[in-house]
Amino acid sequence: MSITRRQFVANTAATAALAGLAPRLRAAGSGDPDVIVIGAGLSGLETALTLEENGLKVRLLEGRKRVGGRLYTLFDLPGHPEAGGNSIASAYGRAIAAAKRNGIEVMNVAPRLMKNRAGQELFLGGEHIKLADWAAHPRNPFSGEARKLPPWAWSDAMFRQHLPFRDLENWHDAAHAQHDISVHDFLSANGATDAQIHLGYDTNISYGTTARDVSLLQQAFADHWQAVNRSAAPQNLLIGVFKDGNQNLPIAMARRLKGDLLQGRRVVAIETGPDSATVTCSDGSRHRAKAVVCSMPFSTLRNVALDPLPPSLQYKAIQTLGYIPITQFHVVAKKPFWEMDGLSPSMWTDGPLGSVLAQKSGKTDDEVTSLTVWCRGLNGLFIDRFGVEEGKRMILEEFARLRPASKGLLTVGAVHSWTADPFSAGDWAIFQPGQVRELRASIATPHQRLFFCGEHTAIGSRGIEGALESAERVSLEVLGAVG
Ligand SMILES: Cc1cc2nc3c(=O)[nH]c(=O)nc-3n(C[C@H](O)[C@H](O)[C@H](O)COP(=O)(O)OP(=O)(O)OC[C@H]3O[C@@H](n4cnc5c(N)ncnc54)[C@H](O)[C@@H]3O)c2cc1C
């Protein structure tokens, strides 16, 4: 079957308008489906729904016993904090449309966040440093005007000033291949010292484990996405969350599926040929279809036996694409210790607590419902080595050291290591130096009847929106191939 983009959009819109939201009980139906989709995260669910809306019979195989993948709401903690994807913004057109199609309200929390900007307290080497004292402080490694910037703002300023090209949306274009170097090399070449890079980029890192394993082109992609999302006038700024928990969107999407949704099915092997593909799960079940769409992150796909192996560059991408390590501790306070010591509950530290963000999802704008401790990069790997119970103890001990008023008032309600989680094995995907030039173009190329989606395959948008962008592309590929 071949299908034009216009027919595809028309079919999708019409069926979406008619689709009911009633939950269904689904077990393996009889007969082979047309398409198997692996993974019930956003990209897999959106692909499955789109293919169904275009007349195909779909079976979804999910390894976990829940849907949503990296959208994961802690529904049993106060305020329903997010362990996964946090928020969307104004350039998330697909996510906003998907919420509408699935009956989920998007709440704009920007006014609440803006009103409540208590800021983060800076702690370095266990010492509390007032931001007013930072420019002259002996721990400040920056020079000139940059000494006035808090450490978390330094690298953005360096990128704004020195990025060697301006058309950041073309970050993947061959014309920029010479910039596929490490962020560390780029910052050094622009005069930064190792101490500056360590504090200003590696500490509470956003991509990779250190500046040495992140491509400057990856950073350009992230900066581009941030810029388009921040281009709205302040009064139109959107920081959106899905009502009562972001995981409500994938849950609503799963309810609309007509075909099988089999959870607890860990995929261990995929065989593909010119006309069909077969998926084997760890329970021994085998599933055959005319096409298979794989939304698994490459960090987990690398543990799946693929037969035949994909072409060498795609295989190399599956084996080596980077993922940032992130572990979160969700902490609940019996009493607001920040009112006792007079500091903000949120912190930016160079110790095991990493960065701490106060969640304000209560009935009033300033009620703190929980604290999220983000351990990223090397700090995430460090804390994971101690295991969950010892990790909790270390986190509470560090709170008590930095904020003595918190002693005895905190409990850890939940811990989630995205690195140790076998269904993510890391958090978001990272192009390492040289990988954009060598591997990017091969990542999502169909391999016989095996197709690829997922945030790691998106090129125009990132995160939640990237996952949905990838579903759009792969749906067109599959509809074009499966007749
Ligand atoms: C802590 C955190 C914060 C984030 N913050 C934001 C944010 O603020 N804004 C934003 O836009 N994005 C954010 N993201 C990223 C965003 O959540 C993800 O990019 C997006 O949800 C990924 O969707 P996906 O479908 O590509 O992958 P996933 O959601 O990971 O889906 C893949 C699915 O495949 C399944 N799977 C894996 N291996 C197997 C196997 N062997 N067998 C069967 N199934 C398998 C998984 O269980 C999963 O359900 C964040 C993510 C995290 C974790």
Side-chain angles (χ1 to χ4, degrees), residues 138-159:
R139 287 186 190 273
N140 188 329
F142 305 122
S143 42
E145 282 297 295
R147 288 186 70 82
K148 295 181 190 157
L149 296 173
W152 54 83
W154 174 79
S155 65
D156 275 357
M158 288 294 281
F159 295 128

Side-chain angles (χ1 to χ4, degrees), residues 38-44 61-64 68-71 83-87 92 265-267 295-297 300 304 326 328 374 418 423 427-428 454-455 462-465 467:
I38 305 173
L42 271 188
S43 64
L61 301 174
E62 167 55 49
R64 293 180 171 110
R70 279 170 279 173
L71 284 192
N86 268 270
S87 56
Y92 282 65
R265 300 290 176 111
R266 183 165 64 86
V267 169
S295 78
M296 297 164 57
T300 68
V304 170
I326 294 185
Q328 288 187 344
W374 287 76
W418 289 99
F423 295 107
D427 209 311
W428 45 86
E455 57 93 27
R462 297 189 48 78
I464 291 168
E465 186 70 3

Side-chain angles (χ1 to χ4, degrees), residues 112-167:
R112 177 180 278 215
L113 292 178
M114 294 301 137
K115 195 171 140 196
N116 253 303
R117 275 198 148 155
Q120 284 180 292
E121 303 287 349
L122 176 61
F123 283 86
L124 297 181
E127 180 192 356
H128 177 233
I129 303 170
K130 287 190 192 142
L131 285 184
D133 300 337
W134 174 238
H137 197 277
R139 287 186 190 273
N140 188 329
F142 305 122
S143 42
E145 282 297 295
R147 288 186 70 82
K148 295 181 190 157
L149 296 173
W152 54 83
W154 174 79
S155 65
D156 275 357
M158 288 294 281
F159 295 128
R160 264 198 311 276
Q161 196 180 343
H162 298 293
L163 265 181
F165 59 98
R166 291 293 148 196
D167 60 332

